[in-house]
């Protein structure tokens, strides 16, 4: 399996192309309001990847067991920064 993600960015434009083998599709992520760069940061995209994997796993494993799943709703979250990194005693 070959997986890739390509990003093309210029003033006011941000294009994302995803590919797995011969399956190619785009993901709509607007540019930053300033015009350059992505309005989504890497951390947000990382958590989108985690949430997507989780959902796909639920559908796949349910299908293997003959369980019908009509809808999923979930959220991936994390905290960072000085307060998140404090050690609790």
């Amino acid at each position: 399996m070959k997986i890739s993600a390509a990003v093309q960015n210029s003033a006011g434009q941000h294009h994302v192309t995803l590919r797995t083998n011969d399956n190619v599709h785009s993901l709509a992520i607007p540019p930053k309001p300033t015009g350059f760069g992505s309005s989504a940061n890497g951390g947000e995209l990382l958590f989108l990847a985690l949430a997507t994997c989780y959902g796909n796993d639920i559908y796949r494993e349910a299908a293997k067991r003959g369980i019908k799943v009509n809808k999923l709703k979930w959220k991936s979250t994390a905290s960072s920064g000085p307060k998140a990194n404090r050690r609790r005693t």
Side-chain angles (χ1 to χ4, degrees):
M1 182 181 330
K2 185 174 181 181
I3 300 172
S4 67
V7 177
Q8 182 178 340
N9 183 270
S10 60
Q13 297 186 23
H14 189 74
H15 302 283
V16 177
T17 304
L18 306 173
R19 179 182 195 123
T20 299
N21 297 326
D22 293 328
N23 181 21
V24 180
H25 53 280
S26 62
L27 182 63
I29 300 174
K32 285 184 176 181
T34 57
F36 289 97
S38 173
S39 62
N41 67 49
E44 292 168 333
L45 295 174
L46 175 62
F47 277 83
L48 173 60
L50 291 170
T52 301
C53 285
Y54 179 77
N56 286 344
D57 287 352
I58 295 291
Y59 284 118
R60 182 189 64 243
E61 295 304 317
K64 283 182 186 177
R65 292 161 177 78
I67 300 169
K68 183 178 179 183
V69 178
N70 293 316
K71 182 178 180 179
L72 291 174
K73 183 177 178 180
W74 63 100
K75 184 176 175 180
S76 296
T77 61
S79 298
S80 67
K83 288 185 179 181
N85 294 326
R86 277 191 303 197
R87 205 159 132 192
R88 296 181 187 239
T89 55

